[in-house]
């Protein structure tokens, strides 16, 4: 890791020396951009959009499932949950969830025995799974690598999550977490499905871009969205 950081630093310094005569009119240009390729910039944009969509999904799920926030520790707000879900704690796992993360936390959110905040378990798991697909990085540079298979697998896992959200029920026949539904006047609410569709498209597109850039193949897996298992990240 030290060698990796040193190489990045040397590359930035070299580029700075080459561009040392640039005028002050470029003062708004980020120095870190000098160490980025086009695909790095595209990856950064994808990550920002994924964060935005996940935040939107979290807020919508809490609005639809206020009972879940009521299970959280006293004083917990949606804003506080967002801060937790998208913090670096995603890497270690949350004590509230027994330290599990990724697809294990997602599975917990659909467990009949679980008595905690299901929205938190779902979104903490989903967020950490996507974060893992990008090597737990929020920004990419020239020397960074990304695995197209992880991106592809995460897209398939999102399909599984979307199916479970709409179809998994407890022994009483009730959905564990409410999402899409039909109003009293018969209007269907598919906004959750659209958010998942956008997330899946972003991951699939990113997987294809990386595969094309690195000339590596994606191992495509035939898996039903109704599957109860998740692909490894």
């Amino acid at each position: 890791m030290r060698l990796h950081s040193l190489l990045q630093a040397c590359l930035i310094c070299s580029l700075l020396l080459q561009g040392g005569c640039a005028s002050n009119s470029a003062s708004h240009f980020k120095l870190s951009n000098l160490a980025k390729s086009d695909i790095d910039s595209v990856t950064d944009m994808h990550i920002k959009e994924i964060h935005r969509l996940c935040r939107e999904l979290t807020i919508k799920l809490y609005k639809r499932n206020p009972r879940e926030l009521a299970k959280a520790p006293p004083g917990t707000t949606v804003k506080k949950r967002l801060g937790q879900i998208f913090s670096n704690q995603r890497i270690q796992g949350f004590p509230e969830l027994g330290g599990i993360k990724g697809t294990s936390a997602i599975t917990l959110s659909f467990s009949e025995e679980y008595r905690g905040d299901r929205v938190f378990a779902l979104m903490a798991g989903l967020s950490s799974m996507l974060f893992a697909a990008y090597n737990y990085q929020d920004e990419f540079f020239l020397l960074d690598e990304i695995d197209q298979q992880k991106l592809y697998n995460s897209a398939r896992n999102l399909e599984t999550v979307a199916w479970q959200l709409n179809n998994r029920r407890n022994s009483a026949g009730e959905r564990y977490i409410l999402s899409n539904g039909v109003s009293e006047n018969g209007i269907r609410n598919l906004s959750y499905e659209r958010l998942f569709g956008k997330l899946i498209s972003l991951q699939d597109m990113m997987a294809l871009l990386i595969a094309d850039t690195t000339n590596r193949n994606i191992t495509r897996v035939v898996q039903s969205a109704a599957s109860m298992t998740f692909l490894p990240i």
Side-chain angles (χ1 to χ4, degrees):
M1 184 63 71
R2 285 185 176 180
L3 179 58
H4 184 274
S5 300
L6 181 59
L7 287 172
Q8 283 189 346
C10 289
L11 179 59
I12 292 173
C13 288
S14 176
L15 291 169
L16 284 174
L17 287 172
Q18 293 177 32
C21 296
S23 67
N24 291 331
S25 61
S27 58
H28 293 294
F29 183 78
K30 289 178 64 178
L31 295 181
S32 59
N33 288 343
L34 293 172
K36 286 182 180 291
S37 65
D38 289 342
I39 194 65
D40 292 328
S41 298
V42 170
T43 303
D44 291 351
M45 286 190 290
H46 272 71
I47 292 172
K48 287 179 181 179
E49 183 63 8
I50 285 168
H51 283 177
R52 187 189 70 78
L53 292 172
C54 284
R55 286 178 179 275
E56 183 179 347
L57 180 59
T58 302
I59 293 170
K60 286 178 66 66
L61 285 172
Y62 272 123
K63 285 183 178 179
R64 187 91 162 86
N65 301 271
R67 65 187 182 189
E68 298 305 320
L69 188 61
K71 300 175 184 177
T76 301
T77 62
V78 174
K79 183 177 180 180
K80 183 175 181 180
R81 279 306 202 204
L82 287 170
Q84 292 175 310
I85 290 170
F86 298 99
S87 70
N88 283 333
Q89 190 65 45
R90 291 179 289 179
I91 301 174
Q92 289 82 29
F94 295 92
E96 186 178 337
L97 302 176
I100 64 174
K101 57 185 178 180
T103 55
S104 295
I106 294 172
T107 300
L108 180 66
S109 71
F110 294 107
S111 170
E112 181 127 21
E113 292 73 29
Y114 184 57
R115 295 292 178 264
D117 180 347
R118 294 182 184 276
V119 171
F120 178 65
L122 174 66
M123 292 310 301
L126 194 150
S127 175
S128 60
M129 177 194 73
L130 292 172
F131 201 25
Y134 290 93
N135 301 333
Y136 297 107
Q137 293 176 236
D138 286 317
E139 191 171 9
F140 279 77
F141 298 93
L142 283 172
L143 299 178
D144 291 325
E145 292 187 358
I146 187 169
D147 188 334
Q148 75 284 349
Q149 193 65 48
K150 290 182 179 180
L151 296 166
Y152 173 85
N153 286 1
S154 68
R156 305 290 73 75
N157 288 346
L158 284 168
E159 290 175 343
T160 298
V161 174
W163 184 91
Q164 292 192 20
L165 197 59
N166 285 324
N167 295 279
R168 291 288 303 277
R169 285 171 166 75
N170 60 24
S171 56
E174 302 168 330
R175 282 195 288 171
Y176 288 107
I177 304 172
L178 300 176
S179 57
N180 297 313
V182 181
S183 65
E184 294 180 357
N185 54 8
I187 298 176
R188 296 187 68 190
N189 175 12
L190 299 177
S191 57
Y192 300 88
E193 188 172 308
R194 285 193 290 271
L195 284 175
F196 272 100
K198 290 178 181 179
L199 287 167
I200 292 166
S201 295
L202 283 170
Q203 293 302 89
D204 272 333
M205 179 57 69
M206 199 68 231
L208 290 172
L209 285 172
I210 296 300
D212 182 67
T213 302
T214 58
N215 199 28
R216 296 196 298 254
N217 294 324
I218 296 173
T219 302
R220 301 185 182 277
V221 180
V222 179
Q223 179 176 347
S224 169
S227 173
M228 302 291 283
T229 60
F230 292 99
L231 298 178
I233 303 298

